Amino acid sequence: METPWKKKKATIPDFLERKRSGPKITMMTAYDCAFASLVDSVDIDMILVGDSGAMTTLGYETTIPVTMEEMLFMARAVSKGARNTFLIGDMPFLSYEVSVERAVENAGRFIKEAGMDAAKLEGGRRTAPVVQAIVRAGIPVMGHIGLTPQSLSQLGGFRVQGKDVDSARAVVEDALALQDAGAFAIVVEAVPAPVGRMITEAIKVPTIGIGAGPDCDGQVLVLHDMLGLFERFTPKFVKRYVSLGAAAREALAQFAAEVRGGSFPAPEHCYTMKAEQAEELRETLVHAGLLR
Ligand code: KIV
């Protein structure tokens, strides 16, 4: 008999080893129990409960309005569905900028209240002191540099970062600052592929790329983008592996047509009762004045 595949939750030392000798690290976002358990059932190393859930799941226009409570709500659901995958909670806007104390407390809530293994936050040199304080409190931190959606207006919108030598150097310096602050891995978003490669070469902790080329130590995609469930816009770096949105729309339209046309529910979807019992029930209800 074939032995069923048993997934083993990866650890931070595993990720550091994977940078040295491969294979590449895989990360996917998830925001609820159902999809988290799907991700957990395949060989994907990390789940990020991203603040992208603000847009994919909670219906906000951007990631800015999502609150710590909403992030914890999604993270709790994910941890129930994914017991064998390394889990990361994404710190929402203003949960780590107001004070270092508040940042440590909020990062800790992901671990204590939502079953996450680590916290992620955006920013490089700017947030390095906060990363250092959270790591000192015993909470693993993943950094996020390049295009950082919580600073969209400062960055001038969804734009590739590090396109010239000076700005690319600044992104490399961000990566080094996060490494020195103790981050165990760094998401690098929307930079030219050569910049992704040089950041990866410059630091000892793994880079997880999204629109940062093939040479990062790992790759991440937003679940709803790759499944075709988020259709408002599709960044260049997204590969859509399946069109679940289109398939869902077709199924929903078919349900509505079948209900209206009387073909659903069919006999195989119905519970039965003996004909004489049904007749007796009718007579009882009519006699009681409950049915005419
Ligand atoms: O919120 C998110 O999903 C992210 C990924 C794009 C890395 O930060």
Side-chain angles (χ1 to χ4, degrees):
M1 209 176 86
E2 221 177 283
T3 320
W5 176 71
K6 179 86 179 76
K7 185 170 180 179
K8 188 175 164 293
K9 185 168 179 156
T11 62
I12 290 173
D14 293 333
F15 298 133
L16 295 172
E17 180 52 36
R18 298 268 290 275
K19 177 172 180 103
R20 283 189 287 275
S21 45
K24 297 253 186 202
I25 299 163
T26 49
M27 181 161 93
M28 187 55 57
T29 67
Y31 318 98
D32 64 21
C33 180
F35 278 116
S37 63
L38 285 178
V39 180
D40 198 50
S41 70
V42 301
D43 196 6
I44 285 182
D45 303 305
M46 305 179 180
I47 292 178
L48 170 68
V49 185
D51 65 352
S52 50
M55 298 163 77
T56 61
T57 303
L58 302 182
Y60 293 117
E61 284 290 312
T62 69
T63 60
I64 298 299
V66 72
T67 64
M68 194 61 211
E69 297 307 324
E70 288 168 324
M71 289 305 303
L72 287 168
F73 183 78
M74 293 191 281
R76 274 193 288 268
V78 166
S79 68
K80 289 193 180 91
R83 310 229 176 247
N84 300 308
T85 309
F86 191 89
L87 303 177
I88 303 147
D90 205 3
M91 300 194 66
F93 180 59
L94 283 193
S95 68
Y96 55 93
E97 295 90 338
V98 175
S99 71
V100 171
E101 291 73 20
R102 181 94 64 93
V104 174
E105 207 166 77
N106 282 327
R109 292 189 72 192
F110 274 120
I111 313 292
K112 283 182 75 164
E113 299 175 32
M116 299 287 104
D117 299 297
K120 172 172 96 56
L121 54 91
E122 294 184 4
R125 287 156 294 173
R126 175 177 68 87
T127 49
V130 176
V131 170
Q132 190 171 46
I134 299 173
V135 172
R136 278 199 181 138
I139 300 162
V141 175
M142 174 179 273
H144 183 160
I145 56 173
L147 176 62
T148 45
Q150 291 173 13
S151 319
L152 264 200
S153 36
Q154 276 162 316
L155 299 176
F158 275 100
R159 292 209 177 143
V160 184
Q161 303 297 300
K163 274 173 77 174
D164 56 49
V165 172
D166 286 346
S167 62
R169 187 193 161 121
V171 186
V172 176
E173 285 172 358
D174 281 340
L176 288 166
L178 290 176
Q179 166 179 269
D180 293 348
F184 75 92
I186 302 175
V187 168
V188 184
E189 179 165 353
V191 299
V195 178
R197 182 171 66 240
M198 284 181 239
I199 295 169
T200 304
E201 286 171 10
I203 62 175
K204 292 191 177 63
V205 297
T207 53
I208 311 293
I210 176 161
D215 298 310
C216 292
D217 301 302
Q219 297 289 330
V220 56
L221 280 178
V222 168
L223 182 77
H224 288 53
D225 287 340
M226 67 92 72
L227 295 182
L229 286 171
F230 184 78
E231 298 170 323
R232 248 175 58 206
F233 60 89
T234 307
K236 178 182 168 65
F237 54 69
V238 169
K239 176 171 177 182
R240 188 178 278 186
Y241 283 79
V242 62
S243 295
L244 284 193
R249 207 174 288 114
E250 216 171 279
L252 293 166
Q254 192 178 340
F255 163 77
E258 288 185 4
V259 169
R260 291 193 188 108
S263 63
F264 179 83
E268 67 266 29
H269 306 119
C270 298
Y271 300 104
T272 55
M273 187 182 197
K274 285 188 183 131
E276 49 287 15
Q277 274 185 324
E279 193 44 45
E280 189 185 335
L281 173 63
R282 174 171 293 282
E283 279 171 17
T284 308
L285 294 176
V286 169
H287 188 71
L290 298 171
L291 199 66
R292 272 194 263 159

